[in-house]
Amino acid sequence: MQTVKLLKQKIRREVLAVRNQMPERIWVDKSRRIEERILAHPALTAAEHILCYVNYQKEAETVYLMEQCLARGKRVYCPLVSDTDMDFYRIAALSELQSGFRGIMEPPRRRECLYVPQTEYHGAVMIMPGAVFDRQRRRIGYGGGYYDRYLQRAGAVVTLAAAFALQVKERIPSEPHDICPDVIVTENGEV
């Protein structure tokens, strides 16, 4: 297992180095194309609850996506990290977000806004980030395991990963605890 972890770290570093060099105008254009594809996805169209990461550094942007979901009357929830756990809290506007874990924008911790995982599908979609993916939808995150742990207790939720095509490789290593998204959405289409 140690060899798999080291290999995942190497792949993560290599792919993120390329992603982080993307010129701003190209990052904006590709991000918008990803957001438009997610907004048109049937699972998102039907969903009432949207659990969405807030982009950090050069991750595929999610601001426009969240604005559009809020404008369409959907309930939008963003992650809030504490120690080794992560929960999602509802926001009514992006202006509620504040700098939190590692400088990532997070919602305030309000008990009445906590997303309670469903035991069956009730129109919940999660938009998740990742560092690297492959054609079998395996995912290498950022190494903290927050999404893997959350998804083990998330109940029924459709997972859409937002990533640039350069983040999708033919095959990457995985471990038993790694949870694959249902769909990977890139600027070029779905995987």
Side-chain angles (χ1 to χ4, degrees):
M1 279 301 167
Q2 188 62 22
T3 305
V4 172
K5 285 189 184 310
L6 292 174
L7 186 54
K8 287 168 72 174
Q9 289 172 358
K10 179 182 181 292
I11 294 167
R12 180 188 301 118
R13 270 193 314 273
E14 290 171 357
V15 170
L16 291 181
V18 173
R19 185 199 73 185
N20 292 341
Q21 294 300 314
M22 191 183 311
E24 185 75 14
R25 66 179 177 72
I26 293 173
W27 174 78
V28 168
D29 176 62
K30 288 183 177 189
S31 289
R32 184 56 54 92
R33 289 174 22 210
I34 292 167
E35 289 173 304
E36 291 290 352
R37 288 183 184 283
I38 291 172
L39 286 165
H41 194 281
L44 187 122
T45 302
E48 295 175 37
H49 305 278
I50 310 299
L51 287 65
C52 188
Y53 75 93
V54 181
N55 64 281
Y56 179 68
Q57 296 178 346
K58 287 281 180 111
E59 289 177 324
E61 196 234 359
T62 57
V63 171
Y64 175 75
L65 171 65
M66 289 188 287
E67 287 172 343
Q68 289 300 305
C69 287
L70 288 167
R72 296 175 187 185
K74 297 184 182 294
R75 295 172 183 236
V76 175
Y77 303 80
C78 296
L80 178 66
V81 172
S82 59
D83 299 323
T84 59
D85 285 328
M86 177 177 72
D87 284 301
F88 283 78
Y89 289 84
R90 185 175 178 191
I91 60 168
L94 295 179
S95 59
E96 294 177 28
L97 299 172
Q98 53 203 357
S99 183
F101 178 72
R102 295 187 181 164
I104 300 169
M105 300 301 282
E106 296 180 326
R109 183 183 313 273
R110 293 189 310 249
R111 187 179 191 159
E112 70 276 9
C113 295
L114 177 68
Y115 177 77
V116 177
Q118 307 295 314
T119 55
E120 58 186 76
Y121 182 67
H122 289 320
V125 169
M126 176 187 285
I127 312 304
M128 63 190 299
V132 190
F133 301 88
D134 72 11
R135 302 238 168 252
Q136 292 73 44
R137 296 187 327 274
R138 286 185 283 263
R139 173 184 175 270
I140 296 175
Y142 294 95
Y146 293 99
Y147 280 86
D148 291 324
R149 284 191 299 279
Y150 186 82
L151 286 168
Q152 287 175 354
R153 62 183 174 90
V157 61
V158 174
T159 52
L160 306 177
F164 299 108
L166 66 85
Q167 294 176 261
V168 181
K169 301 300 177 192
E170 195 58 41
R171 186 169 178 83
I172 60 172
S174 66
E175 297 173 277
H177 64 269
D178 292 335
I179 295 179
C180 300
D182 296 312
V183 178
I184 302 165
V185 181
T186 75
E187 70 274 18
N188 298 332
E190 296 180 10
V191 177

